[in-house]
Each structure stands twice: as structure tokens, then as C-alpha cells.
Amino acid sequence: MSEIFKGIGRIPFEGSKSRNPLSFKYYDAERIVAGKPMKAHLKFAMAWWHNLSATGQDMFGAGTADKSFGAAVGTMDHAKAKADAGFEFMSKLGIEYFCFHDVDLVPEAADINETNARLDEIAAYIEELQKQTGIKCLWGTANLFSNPRYMNGAGSGNSPEVYCFAAAQIKKALDLTRRFDGAGYVFWGGREGYETLLNTDVKFELGNIANLMRQSVKYARAKGWNGCFYIEPKPKEPTKHQYDYDAATSIGFLKEYGLDKDFKMNIEANHATLAGHTFQHDLRISAMNGMLGSVDANQGDLLLGWDTDEFPWSVYETTMAMYEILKSGGFTTGGLNFDAKNRRPSYTHEDMFEGFILGMDAFALGLLKADELIRDGRLEGFLQDRYAGYREGIGKRITDGTATLEDLAREAEKLGKPALPGSGKQEYLQSVVNQILFG
Ligand code: XUL
Ligand code: CO
């Protein structure tokens, strides 16, 4: 296999003073942080679709980036060239995982049997590259949103025939995930939602989606796969209202339909902000429910109302994200998948590397700072003090659930009026974060 990214070697760690664009300033894979190497905390993954397929095409113009990698686009030769490019790219950056949709791997044929034959061919090719490099699969998924048959949804649509195609794609994508020794499988409800309630039976559609998930779990477990299923919440785009709106909604759905033992969340930063939350919020909601599974690492533009999938560079965001992840015990099956793409005018091979260097450094710095925040202890200490009143007396009985409404009212009557509840100290806490970040 000949080199594709000529002139770009293995990306070295050179430290924060380096001015070499093709070097890591903070990501030092083997450096021990909080008891384990950085790479074990961060578990970076490359998203096949953005990095190897997307050319920067948008609603107003054609792609700007050449992702042919020396082969004719739309052929199996191109599928193989993408795999070669992907493994070379990951090896040069020291990325140990990849994520894929079925149709990222091969051009989809008109007939599903032909698509599946192509998938078998590329799977053998990818398995060989995995053997050579030791690179693993973080998660797989099926694209149930691009093909016109999914115009009304996949599990949520109005056509049982289309539903069967969704099931067939999931079955094949699960087989591929198992073949690549993948640790996870994602359901992102790309068109599972609605445009108008005038033509939509929400309860009926949710039940059908749940059945599709249940049958998928049953199939995978029967094959002996014990990886983790994830829901990736997103509130809108492509549909006006997506059912898996945010972490809280998705967790409620999983509990309602008895799927919560097999599923966790795959939280994407830009999806959380589209839902009107911070990235940290959706991580916290997932973690407190024991469902923080994996992360799609990117960031949005708060001035825009859509999913811009930018490489993460806000160290405030990555720090608070890593703070939640560290405090929840870190990743097990999951990791940080860069569901991110270069801006359209960043169209060169160097730009591909620089996007990942930016994202990996931003998360490495976030990890270092989150670890410092935890060791510093002021944030956690303040939180403990803030609720101290609930550790004794009537406060403890409230938390235990033993105080009746009458008991509580009697306490108020005894006091006449309460003492002021104590400052929230937001500005002080924010200054602690700044001190750790820049001090
Ligand atoms: C779309 C998105 C997807 C999922 C996988 O917004 O994030 O790429 O991550 O289907
Ligand atoms: Co995503």
C-alpha cells in the first residue's frame, strides 16, 4: 500500500511551546494523568463519514476537498482507498479507534443484497488493516436517514416495508461491528421524528422504534455480542422535532420501554447545545443515571441554529466535559469520537490533520485541567458545604423521606421565618475555574 498523506509523518508530541503545526502541544499519549495514560482516558476515534467521505459540499455549493485518495469515487477501489487513507491517518495521529455507518464503507447499491456483498468485501479488507495496525472499532451504526426510502423515518415511518429495510441494515451493521470487534452500537434517530402532528401518531411511532431496538438487542445478544448500545440524542435536524430530543428524554424513553439495561447515551456536544443545554448538562444527566456511555466530540456555533460539527477548541467546554467524565469514573466501552469536520475552506490534507490535532489537544488540555480541578477540590468542597444543612436534623429527615408534610410545616411555624439560604457564589466558582485554566 503506497503512502497517501505524503510529506506528513507520525505526529509527535512537542509540548506547549512548539510552533510546529503538525505536532501535539498537549496530547502526550503515554503521560499518566489520574492514574492512567492520557490515551486510556480519552480513547479518541475517527469518524469515517466526516474524515474520509465528506468533501465540504453544502446546500449552496459543491465540495472543496478531494477525498478520492487516488481512486475513482463511487467504486470499490475507492472504498478500499478510503480504508487505506483512514488507517494511515489514524496511525500517524496515534488514534486507536474508528466509528462508521454501513454506507460510509461502500457505495450503496440499488439492491440491498449487492450492498451487503460489497460490505462483506470491504469488511475483509478492513479486518486485514486492523490486524496490521491494532486499530479497533469504537462503535458502528446504520445510516437510516440518507436514502430516500427513509423520508418518513425508519423505525418511526408509515411503511412496514421500509421498516424491514431498516432492520436489515441494522442487522448487517451489527454483524460488521462484531466483525471489527466493536465495543458499541449507536442509534442516532436521523429521521425518527416529525414535521407536523397533523400526520403523525407519536405514541405508535415510539412503540415501533422501541421494538426495533429490542429486536436488535435480542439479535446481537444471541450472537454473543456483549457490547453497549447507545442512543445519540439530538433535538432537531433533519426533522423539525426529533424524538430523542436530549439525554433526559432519551433516558425516559429507554426506561418506559424497558431498554435501559442495554443502552447508554452517546452525547454529542453540538446536539446538546441545539437542545438548549450545555454539553456538560447532558453529560451530567447521563452520568447521574449511570448512562454516560460515549461522546461525539465536536462543538457548535452558538450564533447558528444548526449542527456545524466543528472540531472542539473551547477549552472551557472540554474541561467541564472531562470533569464530568472523570467524576463519573471514565469511559468503559465508550470514548471520544470526533464527529467533526473541517470548515469548507480548510480543504487540504494538512487541514485534516490539523483539525484532529486541534480537537485532540483541546481534550488533552481539558483532561489535565479537569484533573487539576478535582485535585484542587474547591468546586467539590463548595458543593458539599452547600447542602450541609441536609445532613442533620430536619434536613436529614427530608432527604431520608421520613419527614411528613405536617413535620415540615411545624418546623417552619417554629422558626417563624428562615435564615437566608447562603450565597450561590457563582462568580467565585467561575474565578476558580479561570485560575486553574490560566493561573
Ligand atoms: C448527526 C450525527 C451522526 C451520528 C451517527 O448529527 O451526529 O453522524 O453521530 O449517525
Ligand atoms: Co454524532
Side-chain angles (χ1 to χ4, degrees):
M1 163 174 90
S2 66
E3 194 180 19
I4 291 171
F5 300 102
K6 290 201 178 71
I8 301 177
R10 169 117 197 166
I11 305 299
F13 167 72
E14 291 186 354
S16 63
K17 299 285 182 284
S18 170
R19 299 178 69 114
N20 171 10
L22 294 174
S23 74
F24 292 118
K25 318 300 180 294
Y26 303 100
Y27 182 58
D28 185 2
E30 303 297 338
R31 176 172 169 185
I32 303 294
V33 182
K36 43 181 200 188
M38 270 190 164
K39 66 176 191 183
H41 282 287
L42 298 166
K43 293 178 68 187
F44 291 127
M46 179 197 75
W48 209 273
W49 53 104
H50 283 313
N51 202 45
L52 304 175
S53 310
T55 58
Q57 180 185 0
D58 68 13
M59 258 125 68
F60 300 92
T64 55
D66 179 357
K67 299 261 172 98
S68 61
F69 305 119
V73 174
T75 62
M76 282 305 287
D77 280 349
H78 183 230
K80 289 174 187 164
K82 280 165 64 182
D84 290 338
F87 278 80
E88 183 186 323
F89 184 85
M90 290 185 277
S91 300
K92 286 182 167 173
L93 279 157
I95 290 177
E96 295 185 343
Y97 301 88
F98 67 89
C99 298
F100 71 96
H101 300 81
D102 46 359
V103 300
D104 303 335
L105 302 182
V106 295
E108 194 176 2
D111 185 309
I112 195 167
N113 297 295
E114 170 59 18
T115 307
N116 286 346
R118 293 179 187 178
L119 286 168
D120 289 337
E121 187 181 341
I122 200 70
Y125 195 80
I126 290 173
E127 271 177 330
E128 192 49 46
L129 291 168
Q130 285 189 283
K131 263 190 227 132
Q132 287 164 23
T133 60
I135 289 172
K136 301 172 274 287
C137 171
L138 190 69
W139 53 257
T141 189
N143 179 326
L144 308 180
F145 44 91
S146 294
N147 192 295
R149 64 177 168 262
Y150 297 122
M151 65 177 83
N152 291 337
S156 68
N158 59 318
S159 157
E161 277 186 20
V162 171
Y163 194 99
C164 292
F165 273 79
Q169 277 190 251
I170 294 170
K171 176 172 171 286
K172 191 70 183 171
L174 276 167
D175 290 344
L176 293 170
T177 303
R178 282 193 301 117
R179 231 175 131 169
F180 300 149
D181 209 14
Y185 186 89
V186 164
F187 279 84
W188 170 58
R191 292 188 194 272
E192 312 293 39
Y194 63 82
E195 298 302 322
T196 173
L197 289 174
L198 293 174
N199 67 11
T200 305
D201 184 338
V202 173
K203 197 166 166 48
F204 177 78
E205 294 195 351
L206 287 174
N208 281 349
I209 295 171
N211 281 338
L212 190 54
M213 291 180 173
R214 196 171 295 116
Q215 294 302 338
S216 303
V217 172
K218 235 165 107 180
Y219 173 78
R221 299 297 183 232
K223 294 274 174 189
W225 187 72
N226 53 17
C228 189
F229 286 90
Y230 309 113
I231 281 186
E232 181 178 321
K234 185 176 183 182
K236 55 188 167 187
E237 197 201 29
T239 70
K240 182 178 85 173
H241 180 96
Q242 301 261 144
Y243 290 136
D244 299 328
Y245 192 93
D246 60 1
T249 312
S250 304
I251 291 167
F253 165 84
L254 291 173
K255 289 189 173 165
E256 165 79 14
Y257 290 96
L259 292 159
D260 50 309
K261 298 290 172 284
D262 291 288
F263 276 80
K264 290 184 174 167
M265 295 293 111
N266 180 41
I267 297 300
E268 178 161 327
N270 200 171
H271 294 180
T273 50
L274 284 174
H277 304 309
T278 59
F279 181 21
Q280 187 184 3
H281 169 96
D282 257 19
L283 293 171
R284 175 75 62 89
I285 298 296
S286 306
M288 74 188 209
N289 282 285
M291 287 199 189
L292 206 181
S294 201
V295 165
D296 269 12
N298 62 18
Q299 82 176 56
D301 185 326
L302 297 182
L303 299 182
L304 302 175
W306 60 91
D307 198 9
T308 59
D309 284 340
E310 297 173 33
F311 281 96
W313 74 290
S314 162
V315 177
Y316 281 110
E317 295 296 320
T318 58
T319 298
M320 297 325 296
M322 289 314 299
Y323 188 75
E324 296 299 327
I325 291 163
L326 284 180
K327 282 174 71 86
S328 77
F331 292 121
T332 53
T333 50
L336 294 169
N337 168 47
F338 286 110
D339 195 349
K341 58 189 180 205
N342 288 109
R343 297 306 85 194
R344 192 164 178 268
S346 303
Y347 62 93
T348 70
H349 282 174
E350 290 85 65
D351 289 314
M352 289 170 68
F353 281 85
E354 286 167 16
F356 274 75
I357 290 170
L358 172 67
M360 291 164 79
D361 268 342
F363 266 95
L365 192 49
L367 168 67
L368 292 170
K369 295 298 172 184
D371 175 50
E372 256 183 88
L373 276 172
I374 291 171
R375 284 187 290 108
D376 173 89
R378 278 176 288 175
L379 294 189
E380 185 58 32
F382 179 78
L383 208 59
Q384 292 305 322
D385 289 350
R386 190 160 191 239
Y387 297 105
Y390 281 94
R391 287 201 282 274
E392 57 191 6
I394 191 70
K396 186 162 186 318
R397 292 182 55 218
I398 292 172
T399 306
D400 293 347
T402 55
T404 66
L405 203 63
E406 286 102 323
D407 294 337
L408 299 170
R410 213 171 300 118
E411 192 72 17
E413 288 153 14
K414 209 162 69 193
L415 287 169
K417 65 173 186 170
L420 287 177
S423 167
K425 287 208 165 291
Q426 180 172 332
E427 297 76 6
Y428 159 70
L429 297 167
Q430 287 170 328
S431 80
V432 169
V433 173
N434 270 353
Q435 188 189 6
I436 298 288
L437 283 182
F438 305 106

Tab-separated table of all heavy atoms in Angstrom, residues 213-259:
chain	number	residue	atom	x	y	z
A	213	MET	N	-35.431	-1.496	18.396
A	213	MET	CA	-34.268	-1.547	19.293
A	213	MET	C	-34.242	-2.864	20.056
A	213	MET	O	-33.198	-3.498	20.208
A	213	MET	CB	-34.311	-0.373	20.269
A	213	MET	CG	-34.060	0.962	19.579
A	213	MET	SD	-34.114	2.313	20.748
A	213	MET	CE	-33.570	3.670	19.702
A	214	ARG	N	-35.414	-3.283	20.535
A	214	ARG	CA	-35.483	-4.531	21.324
A	214	ARG	C	-35.042	-5.717	20.479
A	214	ARG	O	-34.275	-6.578	20.927
A	214	ARG	CB	-36.924	-4.717	21.838
A	214	ARG	CG	-37.049	-5.723	22.948
A	214	ARG	CD	-38.442	-5.728	23.574
A	214	ARG	NE	-38.766	-4.496	24.252
A	214	ARG	CZ	-39.747	-3.656	23.908
A	214	ARG	NH1	-40.517	-3.925	22.868
A	214	ARG	NH2	-39.966	-2.559	24.595
A	215	GLN	N	-35.522	-5.774	19.235
A	215	GLN	CA	-35.144	-6.891	18.355
A	215	GLN	C	-33.647	-6.843	18.022
A	215	GLN	O	-33.002	-7.876	17.858
A	215	GLN	CB	-35.981	-6.877	17.064
A	215	GLN	CG	-37.474	-7.139	17.276
A	215	GLN	CD	-37.767	-8.479	17.966
A	215	GLN	OE1	-36.942	-9.398	17.945
A	215	GLN	NE2	-38.936	-8.581	18.588
A	216	SER	N	-33.109	-5.636	17.945
A	216	SER	CA	-31.666	-5.501	17.652
A	216	SER	C	-30.842	-6.033	18.811
A	216	SER	O	-29.845	-6.742	18.613
A	216	SER	CB	-31.313	-4.029	17.403
A	216	SER	OG	-32.104	-3.520	16.365
A	217	VAL	N	-31.265	-5.696	20.029
A	217	VAL	CA	-30.556	-6.189	21.220
A	217	VAL	C	-30.636	-7.714	21.247
A	217	VAL	O	-29.625	-8.402	21.445
A	217	VAL	CB	-31.171	-5.594	22.514
A	217	VAL	CG1	-30.569	-6.262	23.749
A	217	VAL	CG2	-30.960	-4.078	22.568
A	218	LYS	N	-31.833	-8.230	21.017
A	218	LYS	CA	-32.039	-9.689	21.061
A	218	LYS	C	-31.125	-10.397	20.063
A	218	LYS	O	-30.473	-11.400	20.375
A	218	LYS	CB	-33.502	-9.994	20.698
A	218	LYS	CG	-34.236	-10.816	21.750
A	218	LYS	CD	-35.715	-10.759	21.514
A	218	LYS	CE	-36.244	-12.066	20.970
A	218	LYS	NZ	-37.705	-11.986	20.742
A	219	TYR	N	-31.051	-9.845	18.863
A	219	TYR	CA	-30.229	-10.443	17.808
A	219	TYR	C	-28.748	-10.434	18.202
A	219	TYR	O	-28.057	-11.454	18.138
A	219	TYR	CB	-30.441	-9.677	16.493
A	219	TYR	CG	-29.507	-10.108	15.398
A	219	TYR	CD1	-29.741	-11.286	14.684
A	219	TYR	CD2	-28.363	-9.370	15.082
A	219	TYR	CE1	-28.877	-11.703	13.683
A	219	TYR	CE2	-27.489	-9.778	14.083
A	219	TYR	CZ	-27.751	-10.938	13.394
A	219	TYR	OH	-26.891	-11.362	12.411
A	220	ALA	N	-28.289	-9.249	18.650
A	220	ALA	CA	-26.854	-9.118	18.961
A	220	ALA	C	-26.463	-10.003	20.138
A	220	ALA	O	-25.409	-10.650	20.132
A	220	ALA	CB	-26.523	-7.657	19.260
A	221	ARG	N	-27.313	-10.043	21.155
A	221	ARG	CA	-27.000	-10.881	22.331
A	221	ARG	C	-27.002	-12.368	21.948
A	221	ARG	O	-26.153	-13.127	22.423
A	221	ARG	CB	-28.006	-10.632	23.466
A	221	ARG	CG	-28.031	-9.179	23.997
A	221	ARG	CD	-26.712	-8.752	24.615
A	221	ARG	NE	-26.798	-7.409	25.159
A	221	ARG	CZ	-25.946	-6.412	24.893
A	221	ARG	NH1	-24.914	-6.606	24.092
A	221	ARG	NH2	-26.093	-5.225	25.437
A	222	ALA	N	-27.939	-12.762	21.095
A	222	ALA	CA	-27.987	-14.172	20.668
A	222	ALA	C	-26.707	-14.554	19.916
A	222	ALA	O	-26.279	-15.700	19.936
A	222	ALA	CB	-29.208	-14.418	19.789
A	223	LYS	N	-26.098	-13.578	19.261
A	223	LYS	CA	-24.833	-13.834	18.540
A	223	LYS	C	-23.636	-13.761	19.484
A	223	LYS	O	-22.491	-13.850	19.047
A	223	LYS	CB	-24.638	-12.796	17.423
A	223	LYS	CG	-25.653	-12.893	16.320
A	223	LYS	CD	-25.198	-13.905	15.300
A	223	LYS	CE	-26.280	-14.137	14.261
A	223	LYS	NZ	-26.001	-15.235	13.364
A	224	GLY	N	-23.892	-13.464	20.753
A	224	GLY	CA	-22.800	-13.447	21.728
A	224	GLY	C	-22.111	-12.098	21.874
A	224	GLY	O	-21.056	-11.992	22.500
A	225	TRP	N	-22.687	-11.045	21.278
A	225	TRP	CA	-22.057	-9.718	21.391
A	225	TRP	C	-22.496	-9.077	22.700
A	225	TRP	O	-23.694	-8.961	22.959
A	225	TRP	CB	-22.484	-8.846	20.205
A	225	TRP	CG	-21.772	-7.522	20.138
A	225	TRP	CD1	-20.475	-7.311	19.788
A	225	TRP	CD2	-22.324	-6.228	20.404
A	225	TRP	NE1	-20.182	-5.963	19.815
A	225	TRP	CE2	-21.294	-5.278	20.195
A	225	TRP	CE3	-23.584	-5.765	20.793
A	225	TRP	CZ2	-21.482	-3.906	20.361
A	225	TRP	CZ3	-23.779	-4.405	20.954
A	225	TRP	CH2	-22.729	-3.486	20.747
A	226	ASN	N	-21.544	-8.690	23.531
A	226	ASN	CA	-21.977	-8.062	24.791
A	226	ASN	C	-21.509	-6.615	24.908
A	226	ASN	O	-21.301	-6.098	25.995
A	226	ASN	CB	-21.561	-8.893	26.021
A	226	ASN	CG	-20.069	-9.179	25.988
A	226	ASN	OD1	-19.332	-8.521	25.249
A	226	ASN	ND2	-19.611	-10.158	26.751
A	227	GLY	N	-21.408	-5.965	23.751
A	227	GLY	CA	-21.074	-4.538	23.729
A	227	GLY	C	-22.249	-3.691	24.203
A	227	GLY	O	-23.281	-4.208	24.635
A	228	CYS	N	-22.058	-2.380	24.121
A	228	CYS	CA	-23.070	-1.461	24.631
A	228	CYS	C	-23.832	-0.789	23.483
A	228	CYS	O	-23.230	-0.359	22.506
A	228	CYS	CB	-22.377	-0.393	25.487
A	228	CYS	SG	-23.541	0.640	26.379
A	229	PHE	N	-25.137	-0.729	23.621
A	229	PHE	CA	-25.955	0.045	22.680
A	229	PHE	C	-26.053	1.472	23.202
A	229	PHE	O	-26.126	1.692	24.414
A	229	PHE	CB	-27.365	-0.552	22.576
A	229	PHE	CG	-27.407	-1.828	21.791
A	229	PHE	CD1	-27.231	-3.058	22.423
A	229	PHE	CD2	-27.625	-1.806	20.425
A	229	PHE	CE1	-27.266	-4.239	21.703
A	229	PHE	CE2	-27.665	-2.978	19.694
A	229	PHE	CZ	-27.487	-4.205	20.336
A	230	TYR	N	-26.062	2.418	22.278
A	230	TYR	CA	-26.201	3.825	22.665
A	230	TYR	C	-27.327	4.479	21.875
A	230	TYR	O	-27.506	4.187	20.686
A	230	TYR	CB	-24.937	4.633	22.343
A	230	TYR	CG	-23.635	4.066	22.843
A	230	TYR	CD1	-22.674	3.601	21.941
A	230	TYR	CD2	-23.325	4.025	24.197
A	230	TYR	CE1	-21.447	3.102	22.381
A	230	TYR	CE2	-22.111	3.523	24.645
A	230	TYR	CZ	-21.177	3.065	23.734
A	230	TYR	OH	-19.971	2.577	24.169
A	231	ILE	N	-28.005	5.407	22.552
A	231	ILE	CA	-28.841	6.378	21.829
A	231	ILE	C	-28.046	7.668	21.777
A	231	ILE	O	-27.440	8.070	22.770
A	231	ILE	CB	-30.193	6.610	22.538
A	231	ILE	CG1	-31.149	5.458	22.234
A	231	ILE	CG2	-30.825	7.932	22.085
A	231	ILE	CD1	-32.566	5.656	22.778
A	232	GLU	N	-28.039	8.301	20.599
A	232	GLU	CA	-27.380	9.608	20.467
A	232	GLU	C	-28.467	10.673	20.341
A	232	GLU	O	-29.085	10.820	19.280
A	232	GLU	CB	-26.471	9.604	19.236
A	232	GLU	CG	-25.729	10.927	19.059
A	232	GLU	CD	-24.786	10.904	17.864
A	232	GLU	OE1	-24.138	9.861	17.623
A	232	GLU	OE2	-24.703	11.919	17.165
A	233	PRO	N	-28.744	11.413	21.415
A	233	PRO	CA	-29.851	12.378	21.354
A	233	PRO	C	-29.526	13.574	20.451
A	233	PRO	O	-28.369	13.972	20.321
A	233	PRO	CB	-29.990	12.868	22.808
A	233	PRO	CG	-29.160	11.962	23.638
A	233	PRO	CD	-28.105	11.402	22.738
A	234	LYS	N	-30.568	14.097	19.865
A	234	LYS	CA	-30.469	15.337	19.065
A	234	LYS	C	-31.876	15.903	18.958
A	234	LYS	O	-32.812	15.145	18.688
A	234	LYS	CB	-29.899	15.021	17.680
A	234	LYS	CG	-29.639	16.270	16.827
A	234	LYS	CD	-28.977	15.900	15.498
A	234	LYS	CE	-28.645	17.138	14.689
A	234	LYS	NZ	-28.050	16.835	13.387
A	235	PRO	N	-32.083	17.187	19.158
A	235	PRO	CA	-33.445	17.711	19.243
A	235	PRO	C	-34.108	17.990	17.907
A	235	PRO	O	-35.338	17.943	17.797
A	235	PRO	CB	-33.269	19.015	20.017
A	235	PRO	CG	-31.881	19.464	19.667
A	235	PRO	CD	-31.072	18.196	19.506
A	236	LYS	N	-33.308	18.329	16.898
A	236	LYS	CA	-33.871	18.696	15.592
A	236	LYS	C	-32.789	18.511	14.542
A	236	LYS	O	-31.619	18.346	14.882
A	236	LYS	CB	-34.336	20.146	15.601
A	236	LYS	CG	-33.244	21.134	16.013
A	236	LYS	CD	-33.785	22.538	16.199
A	236	LYS	CE	-32.781	23.409	16.906
A	236	LYS	NZ	-33.301	24.715	17.254
A	237	GLU	N	-33.204	18.539	13.275
A	237	GLU	CA	-32.310	18.382	12.130
A	237	GLU	C	-31.873	16.935	11.973
A	237	GLU	O	-31.078	16.471	12.772
A	237	GLU	CB	-31.061	19.301	12.263
A	237	GLU	CG	-30.333	19.500	10.973
A	237	GLU	CD	-28.890	19.948	11.154
A	237	GLU	OE1	-28.250	19.636	12.162
A	237	GLU	OE2	-28.418	20.623	10.256
A	238	PRO	N	-32.339	16.194	10.983
A	238	PRO	CA	-33.112	16.716	9.851
A	238	PRO	C	-34.593	16.968	10.132
A	238	PRO	O	-35.191	17.782	9.423
A	238	PRO	CB	-32.951	15.653	8.775
A	238	PRO	CG	-32.671	14.395	9.519
A	238	PRO	CD	-31.929	14.803	10.751
A	239	THR	N	-35.251	16.265	11.060
A	239	THR	CA	-36.671	16.587	11.238
A	239	THR	C	-36.802	17.794	12.170
A	239	THR	O	-35.874	18.151	12.894
A	239	THR	CB	-37.499	15.413	11.817
A	239	THR	OG1	-37.126	15.203	13.167
A	239	THR	CG2	-37.330	14.145	11.020
A	240	LYS	N	-37.984	18.385	12.137
A	240	LYS	CA	-38.226	19.568	12.964
A	240	LYS	C	-38.171	19.198	14.428
A	240	LYS	O	-37.598	19.907	15.243
A	240	LYS	CB	-39.608	20.148	12.628
A	240	LYS	CG	-39.929	21.408	13.409
A	240	LYS	CD	-41.281	21.970	13.020
A	240	LYS	CE	-42.386	21.286	13.818
A	240	LYS	NZ	-43.689	21.927	13.592
A	241	HIS	N	-38.779	18.042	14.743
A	241	HIS	CA	-38.741	17.554	16.120
A	241	HIS	C	-38.255	16.116	16.118
A	241	HIS	O	-38.929	15.227	15.611
A	241	HIS	CB	-40.130	17.616	16.775
A	241	HIS	CG	-40.089	17.126	18.189
A	241	HIS	ND1	-39.966	17.967	19.264
A	241	HIS	CD2	-40.086	15.873	18.694
A	241	HIS	CE1	-39.906	17.258	20.377
A	241	HIS	NE2	-39.980	15.979	20.055
A	242	GLN	N	-37.086	15.885	16.668
A	242	GLN	CA	-36.558	14.511	16.759
A	242	GLN	C	-37.007	13.923	18.098
A	242	GLN	O	-36.967	14.617	19.119
A	242	GLN	CB	-35.028	14.534	16.688
A	242	GLN	CG	-34.469	15.160	15.422
A	242	GLN	CD	-34.052	14.139	14.381
A	242	GLN	OE1	-34.217	14.375	13.188
A	242	GLN	NE2	-33.550	13.004	14.806
A	243	TYR	N	-37.397	12.646	18.071
A	243	TYR	CA	-37.904	12.026	19.305
A	243	TYR	C	-36.847	11.963	20.408
A	243	TYR	O	-37.150	12.189	21.569
A	243	TYR	CB	-38.441	10.612	19.020
A	243	TYR	CG	-39.719	10.623	18.208
A	243	TYR	CD1	-39.900	9.733	17.151
A	243	TYR	CD2	-40.741	11.518	18.491
A	243	TYR	CE1	-41.062	9.737	16.406
A	243	TYR	CE2	-41.908	11.536	17.745
A	243	TYR	CZ	-42.070	10.645	16.702
A	243	TYR	OH	-43.215	10.660	15.986
A	244	ASP	N	-35.606	11.626	20.050
A	244	ASP	CA	-34.546	11.538	21.076
A	244	ASP	C	-33.998	12.942	21.349
A	244	ASP	O	-32.833	13.239	21.071
A	244	ASP	CB	-33.411	10.621	20.591
A	244	ASP	CG	-33.891	9.206	20.327
A	244	ASP	OD1	-34.812	8.760	21.024
A	244	ASP	OD2	-33.334	8.557	19.426
A	245	TYR	N	-34.844	13.790	21.879
A	245	TYR	CA	-34.556	15.228	21.967
A	245	TYR	C	-33.243	15.534	22.700
A	245	TYR	O	-32.406	16.280	22.230
A	245	TYR	CB	-35.732	15.912	22.679
A	245	TYR	CG	-35.706	17.410	22.575
A	245	TYR	CD1	-36.389	18.058	21.539
A	245	TYR	CD2	-34.993	18.188	23.476
A	245	TYR	CE1	-36.366	19.436	21.425
A	245	TYR	CE2	-34.963	19.562	23.367
A	245	TYR	CZ	-35.645	20.187	22.345
A	245	TYR	OH	-35.606	21.533	22.231
A	246	ASP	N	-33.110	14.963	23.878
A	246	ASP	CA	-31.911	15.207	24.699
A	246	ASP	C	-31.713	14.003	25.607
A	246	ASP	O	-32.470	13.027	25.513
A	246	ASP	CB	-32.042	16.516	25.502
A	246	ASP	CG	-33.234	16.509	26.442
A	246	ASP	OD1	-33.959	15.483	26.491
A	246	ASP	OD2	-33.449	17.518	27.130
A	247	ALA	N	-30.728	14.074	26.498
A	247	ALA	CA	-30.443	12.905	27.340
A	247	ALA	C	-31.644	12.562	28.219
A	247	ALA	O	-32.035	11.394	28.314
A	247	ALA	CB	-29.203	13.173	28.197
A	248	ALA	N	-32.250	13.561	28.848
A	248	ALA	CA	-33.361	13.274	29.761
A	248	ALA	C	-34.515	12.588	29.026
A	248	ALA	O	-35.072	11.592	29.506
A	248	ALA	CB	-33.837	14.570	30.422
A	249	THR	N	-34.847	13.084	27.843
A	249	THR	CA	-35.942	12.491	27.068
A	249	THR	C	-35.590	11.061	26.655
A	249	THR	O	-36.422	10.150	26.746
A	249	THR	CB	-36.204	13.334	25.804
A	249	THR	OG1	-36.279	14.707	26.174
A	249	THR	CG2	-37.469	12.911	25.097
A	250	SER	N	-34.367	10.869	26.211
A	250	SER	CA	-33.961	9.541	25.716
A	250	SER	C	-33.914	8.524	26.854
A	250	SER	O	-34.292	7.356	26.674
A	250	SER	CB	-32.589	9.621	25.039
A	250	SER	OG	-32.623	10.584	24.013
A	251	ILE	N	-33.462	8.964	28.013
A	251	ILE	CA	-33.398	8.049	29.166
A	251	ILE	C	-34.824	7.677	29.595
A	251	ILE	O	-35.120	6.515	29.892
A	251	ILE	CB	-32.590	8.687	30.320
A	251	ILE	CG1	-31.105	8.783	29.915
A	251	ILE	CG2	-32.737	7.887	31.619
A	251	ILE	CD1	-30.248	9.662	30.809
A	252	GLY	N	-35.718	8.654	29.570
A	252	GLY	CA	-37.123	8.380	29.889
A	252	GLY	C	-37.718	7.359	28.923
A	252	GLY	O	-38.412	6.428	29.321
A	253	PHE	N	-37.397	7.508	27.649
A	253	PHE	CA	-37.869	6.572	26.617
A	253	PHE	C	-37.351	5.158	26.891
A	253	PHE	O	-38.097	4.174	26.868
A	253	PHE	CB	-37.402	7.071	25.239
A	253	PHE	CG	-37.502	6.070	24.137
A	253	PHE	CD1	-38.697	5.877	23.447
A	253	PHE	CD2	-36.396	5.304	23.764
A	253	PHE	CE1	-38.799	4.946	22.419
A	253	PHE	CE2	-36.477	4.370	22.749
A	253	PHE	CZ	-37.685	4.193	22.074
A	254	LEU	N	-36.054	5.063	27.185
A	254	LEU	CA	-35.457	3.742	27.431
A	254	LEU	C	-36.102	3.073	28.643
A	254	LEU	O	-36.367	1.867	28.633
A	254	LEU	CB	-33.943	3.873	27.651
A	254	LEU	CG	-33.124	4.279	26.418
A	254	LEU	CD1	-31.675	4.556	26.790
A	254	LEU	CD2	-33.188	3.181	25.342
A	255	LYS	N	-36.363	3.861	29.689
A	255	LYS	CA	-36.983	3.280	30.894
A	255	LYS	C	-38.431	2.882	30.614
A	255	LYS	O	-38.876	1.815	31.038
A	255	LYS	CB	-36.889	4.279	32.055
A	255	LYS	CG	-35.450	4.423	32.547
A	255	LYS	CD	-35.317	5.226	33.812
A	255	LYS	CE	-33.855	5.152	34.287
A	255	LYS	NZ	-33.521	6.151	35.287
A	256	GLU	N	-39.133	3.713	29.885
A	256	GLU	CA	-40.542	3.430	29.552
A	256	GLU	C	-40.667	2.086	28.819
A	256	GLU	O	-41.576	1.316	29.051
A	256	GLU	CB	-41.075	4.586	28.688
A	256	GLU	CG	-42.385	4.321	27.956
A	256	GLU	CD	-43.606	4.462	28.850
A	256	GLU	OE1	-43.450	5.014	29.958
A	256	GLU	OE2	-44.697	3.996	28.433
A	257	TYR	N	-39.692	1.822	27.922
A	257	TYR	CA	-39.804	0.617	27.098
A	257	TYR	C	-38.894	-0.524	27.573
A	257	TYR	O	-38.678	-1.489	26.852
A	257	TYR	CB	-39.538	0.960	25.629
A	257	TYR	CG	-40.665	1.787	25.033
A	257	TYR	CD1	-40.575	3.176	24.969
A	257	TYR	CD2	-41.841	1.186	24.589
A	257	TYR	CE1	-41.616	3.940	24.457
A	257	TYR	CE2	-42.888	1.933	24.072
A	257	TYR	CZ	-42.771	3.317	24.012
A	257	TYR	OH	-43.810	4.061	23.515
A	258	GLY	N	-38.337	-0.392	28.774
A	258	GLY	CA	-37.546	-1.483	29.350
A	258	GLY	C	-36.235	-1.751	28.633
A	258	GLY	O	-35.750	-2.890	28.602
A	259	LEU	N	-35.656	-0.716	28.028
A	259	LEU	CA	-34.405	-0.900	27.277
A	259	LEU	C	-33.192	-0.353	28.027
A	259	LEU	O	-32.075	-0.364	27.513
A	259	LEU	CB	-34.516	-0.181	25.920
A	259	LEU	CG	-35.520	-0.783	24.937
A	259	LEU	CD1	-35.926	0.240	23.879
A	259	LEU	CD2	-34.917	-2.026	24.271
